[in-house]
Amino acid sequence: MPTTFLDPFQLPPSSHRKTASALIEADRAQFLRIADALRAQREETEARLLTARQTHAGTGSTAVDRDLEIRRLSSRLRLLDRFGLDLCLGRMTPSDGSPPLYIGRSGLAADDGTRLLIDWRTPAAEPYFAATMEDPRGISSRRRYRWSDGRISDYWDEALTEDGFGDPDALDDQSSFIASLGSDRSSRMRDVLSTIQSDQDAIIRTPSPGALVVDGGPGTGKTVVALHRAAHLLYAEPRLTHGGGGMLLVGPNAQYLSYVEDVLPSLGEDSVRLSTLRDLVPEGHDAVSETDPRVARLKEALDPGALIEAATSASEQPPQRALRLESPWADLWLSSEEWAEAFSAPDPSSTHNAARDEVWEELLEMLTDQIHDEDVPPHAVRRWLRQDEELTGTFVRAWPLLSPTAIVRRLWSDSEFLGRCAPALTAAEIALLHREADTAWTDADLPLLDAAHRRIGDPEATRAEHRRQAVIASAQEQMSHVVDHLIEDDDSEMKVMSILKGQDARNVLIGVDTPPVSAPDELAGPFAHIVVDEAQELSDAEWRMLLARCPSRSLTVVGDRAQARHGFTESWVERLERIGLRDVRIAHLGVNYRTPSEVMAVAAPGIRAAIPDANVPASVRDSGIPVRVTTASALSEILAEWLSTHTQGIACVIGDSSFAPTPRVRSLTPAGAKGLEFDLVMLVRPEQFGDGVTGAVDRYVAMTRATQELVILR
């Protein structure tokens, strides 16, 4: 039964010429087919998802395949529930006279196989985004839709060849991208897929290997490009998700993540992990800012991995003397050479605490092999060894269970220990780093804490695994007694109980009540690709946190050297090569689509004075609203007036920590506003940010958050 069809076109009276049947009748027919296909596909997806969930999970690869299918179908259903006809972005008309091709957030086909929507990420859809009048890519025109509440509120036809100039009523001297910039901001990034420009599209479709730097000033669409490149890579390179590790997107702050979190699902991808640097470390949530810039610089200059390695290795020293144990069966020996051999047995990639278990098992194996009495079962020997106080005490002293936080606290509170682990530090530097053990963590500690967690491991997880193994061992022993008893008492002719001798049967019986394995840290990696926004702010130590999670060294690096609060005097290539990246490519964006020219005229001189080679983009739009300069006492009055005359949109007060935010008015610092945009920006006492590069960058960042109006309050 066909879907009840609501006319998708709801254009305002000012656009009545665009409602002519000759212009939109073909679209109406196409949208009717799309609506029917969406209904059918939604019903089919719901049925398949229900069947998959009702299917027995099984084990091994069967369970994995079932879970992957459920995840894929659930993701598809969320997209279908989220969008209706607005799954369609626009259409392009081939120059050869073929029917128009419609572009969608995902692909869609009718029951007979007719392609109704081409997925925006496919090569077939590339001309829609990349075509220009200089290079029309085989199309004569394209149409872009603006959707509001599931219906088309406007559309634009862009002629790319002489043949593309059809009815002038549909043509517009502004693309939908430029027009959309005049709309009100919201608390989340608006849907911008249909506004991608050709220079941005070329970056989005760049393959993943190596590090791609997307360099551009305010308003050039860096974040838009980064998010769309993430979605495109996940579609075009399935290896990134199918066993490859997936993708991580790292933003500068929680406000940024909240702002962009809705974009990737709208592009058909919901598997990307979103995080800030603080989120990567358990202690990051409560860490405070480092108040002493000398301490911050000194910690940033340290190599976290090398320092933690030195501190941890000090707790992995094999005994230098032989150990003699008097067991009930024979005297057992561990020579100093055997201690050293056991201590070198673990996999180099194992954490300290995980390697500790490997060493312990190696020692037990060495000692058990010394018992040659066949009547003595190995598990009895191992049980006795685990209870021997001399053996366990010696081992615990030689390879203790460590806590990552305890090691870092000891480095800062024990100057002698820090000096041994970091011999290059001077006495004055060690004294500067010294602090009491109970001092709160700072953001400058996070790279070192991250290195400690990765090298040492979670002691609580290790203890939980020990308890889990103890439960399994106890169950195995009890099951062995039960099975032996059942076999012994089996007087049946076929001796059916003998099947229980098989290890597989025993494992099945034991596994019923086996405690679950601890859930892994989803942000620990490894990831196949990492997207880093506002990357100009990262220190070398923070970069190491990310590279430890990305062995492929495949990254999208997004930033602007002119927005680095602490300066960025080197090139991107120099910065990234210093931290170990070699295959570095640079893509520049130089057109400011967001910030009005009136605002840029005020913002540009200050940043150019502080950073002469700053990449200050050229604005392509005017707001018609001059920048106002007034007194700070006028803040409330101006805001009240703006809110009364603007029923939509978001304002932001930057620089007044005492201002209480409301649902439509934010209150942020310049650093907290990075990556965000607002219709109105109220910049309070910009001189308070200080002189030098940091002050100039803070003022520049604050001013360029405005998409419509900037008011400076002195």
Side-chain angles (χ1 to χ4, degrees):
M1 180 177 178
T3 303
T4 301
F5 189 65
L6 183 68
D7 187 354
F9 288 91
Q10 191 176 42
L11 276 62
S14 59
S15 300
H16 70 278
R17 291 178 179 273
K18 292 184 178 182
T19 62
S21 296
L23 292 175
I24 61 176
E25 202 56 42
D27 283 354
R28 281 199 178 104
Q30 180 73 1
F31 285 130
L32 178 59
R33 292 190 289 268
I34 290 173
D36 288 338
L38 285 174
R39 175 191 53 77
Q41 190 168 117
R42 185 178 289 105
E43 292 174 353
E44 179 190 2
T45 304
E46 288 175 343
R48 292 176 62 186
L49 181 59
L50 179 62
T51 300
R53 285 173 171 164
Q54 292 175 340
T55 302
H56 178 64
T59 59
S61 60
T62 303
V64 173
D65 291 343
R66 172 184 175 272
D67 290 345
L68 288 174
E69 179 67 1
I70 289 175
R71 180 178 297 182
R72 186 187 68 80
L73 292 171
S74 298
S75 177
R76 179 63 177 172
L77 189 58
R78 281 193 295 271
L79 186 69
L80 292 172
D81 287 340
R82 178 191 177 97
F83 294 103
L85 294 177
D86 52 346
L87 199 68
C88 179
L89 303 168
R91 76 180 197 193
M92 56 184 178
T93 303
S95 299
D96 61 6
S98 302
L101 302 173
Y102 289 78
I103 311 301
R105 301 171 193 279
S106 66
L108 183 69
D111 290 339
D112 61 2
T114 303
R115 179 60 57 183
L116 300 177
L117 290 175
I118 300 173
D119 193 301
W120 73 273
R121 294 163 291 191
T122 62
E126 185 174 355
Y128 176 80
F129 301 99
T132 64
M133 295 192 72
E134 292 76 19
D135 182 12
R137 301 290 186 95
I139 63 175
S140 60
S141 67
R142 67 180 155 219
R143 174 171 290 184
R144 301 178 189 262
Y145 304 115
R146 177 187 287 172
W147 295 90
S148 300
D149 298 325
R151 301 177 77 180
I152 297 171
S153 59
D154 208 346
Y155 69 88
W156 295 265
D157 283 347
E158 298 174 90
L160 299 166
T161 66
E162 290 186 3
D163 294 337
F165 285 93
D167 195 311
D169 290 334
L171 295 174
D172 199 295
D173 61 356
Q174 297 187 88
S175 72
S176 62
F177 183 49
I178 300 301
S180 71
L181 295 170
S183 60
D184 298 318
R185 301 300 101 184
S186 68
S187 59
R188 292 187 175 184
M189 179 175 283
R190 285 186 177 274
D191 175 30
V192 288
L193 179 53
S194 64
T195 66
I196 294 297
Q197 301 297 283
S198 59
D199 58 338
Q200 297 170 328
D201 183 70
I203 299 172
I204 289 168
R205 296 177 188 272
T206 302
S208 68
L212 175 66
V213 178
V214 182
D215 174 76
T220 55
K222 301 185 300 297
T223 298
V224 169
V225 169
L227 294 171
H228 288 73
R229 184 168 193 248
H232 183 268
L233 288 177
L234 290 171
Y235 176 88
E237 303 184 25
R239 63 179 182 80
L240 295 178
T241 49
H242 297 171
M247 185 178 293
L248 173 69
L249 188 149
V250 178
N253 49 54
Q255 293 93 336
Y256 169 93
L257 296 185
S258 177
Y259 184 55
V260 305
E261 67 179 350
D262 206 36
V263 175
L264 285 166
S266 76
L267 302 178
E269 295 295 345
D270 57 5
S271 62
V272 179
R273 305 289 183 197
L274 272 64
S275 170
T276 67
L277 282 166
R278 285 176 176 264
D279 296 332
L280 299 179
V281 187
E283 297 74 24
H285 183 266
D286 297 320
V288 298
S289 297
E290 178 58 68
T291 57
D292 190 333
R294 299 172 301 166
V295 173
R297 287 192 296 269
L298 192 52
K299 289 181 178 179
E300 289 174 1
L302 293 171
D303 183 338
L307 183 53
I308 293 299
E309 179 61 37
T312 306
S313 297
S315 299
E316 300 175 351
Q317 299 302 317
Q320 299 302 305
R321 295 182 179 180
L323 177 67
R324 175 176 172 268
L325 303 174
E326 296 181 3
S327 79
W329 310 281
D331 286 350
L332 307 178
W333 289 85
L334 280 174
S335 66
S336 59
E337 291 78 14
E338 287 172 319
W339 277 109
E341 180 185 346
F343 272 49
S344 64
D347 187 323
S349 64
S350 297
T351 65
H352 167 89
N353 291 334
R356 181 177 185 269
D357 289 344
E358 296 176 41
V359 173
W360 178 242
E361 290 300 319
E362 185 71 17
L363 291 170
L364 295 182
E365 188 72 23
M366 287 180 173
L367 293 167
T368 302
D369 287 347
Q370 295 179 31
I371 303 296
H372 302 295
D373 188 342
E374 295 182 358
D375 294 331
V376 181
H379 68 84
V381 179
R382 284 175 170 264
R383 184 168 60 247
W384 183 88
L385 291 171
R386 289 191 179 96
Q387 297 171 352
D388 184 78
E389 293 182 359
E390 187 173 8
L391 174 62
T392 56
T394 303
F395 176 64
V396 166
R397 288 188 294 274
W399 196 303
L401 191 67
L402 295 180
S403 162
T405 54
I407 283 291
V408 179
R409 289 195 187 281
R410 184 184 176 192
L411 284 168
W412 298 152
S413 61
D414 186 341
S415 297
E416 182 182 353
F417 182 57
L418 177 59
R420 292 201 308 270
C421 296
L425 290 175
T426 66
E429 290 172 332
I430 291 175
L432 186 62
L433 291 172
H434 180 81
R435 68 186 187 192
E436 297 302 318
D438 59 352
T439 305
W441 299 115
T442 71
D443 50 8
D445 292 324
L446 299 185
L448 197 67
L449 285 164
D450 184 62
H453 281 286
R454 301 185 73 82
R455 174 65 176 86
I456 295 170
D458 182 0
E460 291 306 317
T462 301
R463 293 188 182 100
E465 181 61 20
H466 288 172
R467 291 191 292 270
R468 178 175 176 274
Q469 292 298 331
V471 171
I472 293 174
S474 176
Q476 287 175 333
E477 188 168 356
Q478 293 179 31
M479 188 58 62
S480 293
H481 290 313
V482 172
V483 169
D484 291 343
H485 179 71
L486 290 172
I487 293 174
E488 183 179 345
D489 291 350
D490 183 11
D491 57 0
S492 66
E493 183 177 349
M494 300 296 293
K495 298 294 182 182
V496 293
M497 289 299 175
S498 62
I499 193 175
L500 297 176
K501 290 182 178 180
Q503 189 61 46
D504 288 343
R506 298 187 183 214
N507 289 340
V508 169
L509 292 172
I510 294 167
V512 172
D513 297 320
T514 299
V517 178
S518 300
D521 180 2
E522 293 185 345
L523 295 178
F527 293 97
H529 190 85
I530 294 182
V531 179
V532 192
D533 207 347
E534 301 294 344
Q536 72 277 354
E537 299 292 359
L538 271 61
S539 66
D540 288 3
E542 290 171 330
W543 270 113
R544 291 189 178 97
M545 293 173 66
L546 299 181
L547 295 186
R549 291 165 168 78
C550 191
S552 67
R553 298 298 189 263
S554 174
L555 300 104
T556 300
V557 180
V558 185
D560 177 15
R561 293 169 58 248
Q563 294 186 61
R565 298 188 70 244
H566 302 296
F568 197 131
T569 57
E570 53 198 336
S571 68
W572 278 110
V573 172
E574 291 169 336
R575 166 66 62 87
L576 298 179
E577 286 186 345
R578 191 175 71 237
I579 58 154
L581 293 173
R582 293 292 176 264
D583 183 12
V584 179
R585 294 160 292 167
I586 311 294
H588 294 284
L589 294 172
V591 178
N592 188 336
Y593 299 103
R594 179 188 69 206
T595 315
S597 59
E598 295 89 344
V599 173
M600 284 304 298
V602 175
I607 197 65
R608 284 199 174 106
I611 307 174
D613 65 340
N615 177 13
V616 179
S619 292
V620 296
R621 56 183 287 267
D622 304 328
S623 67
I625 306 173
V627 174
R628 279 196 282 174
V629 180
T630 185
T631 61
S633 60
L635 172 62
S636 298
E637 180 183 348
I638 294 174
L639 268 180
E641 178 189 355
W642 186 84
L643 290 170
S644 67
T645 56
H646 295 75
T647 58
Q648 294 182 324
I650 300 291
C652 184
V653 175
I654 301 179
D656 184 356
S657 59
S658 66
F659 181 83
T662 68
R664 289 187 58 207
V665 183
R666 306 288 185 264
S667 179
L668 298 170
T669 64
K674 277 198 169 182
L676 308 181
E677 56 187 41
F678 307 96
D679 299 277
L680 168 68
V681 168
M682 307 280 288
L683 180 56
V684 181
R685 289 184 288 273
E687 65 278 1
Q688 69 176 301
F689 304 138
D691 300 323
V693 171
T694 300
V697 168
D698 281 350
R699 284 184 286 273
Y700 182 58
V701 168
M703 291 180 186
T704 55
R705 299 309 94 194
T707 65
Q708 293 294 322
E709 184 176 0
L710 170 65
V711 178
I712 299 175
L713 304 162
R714 299 191 182 278

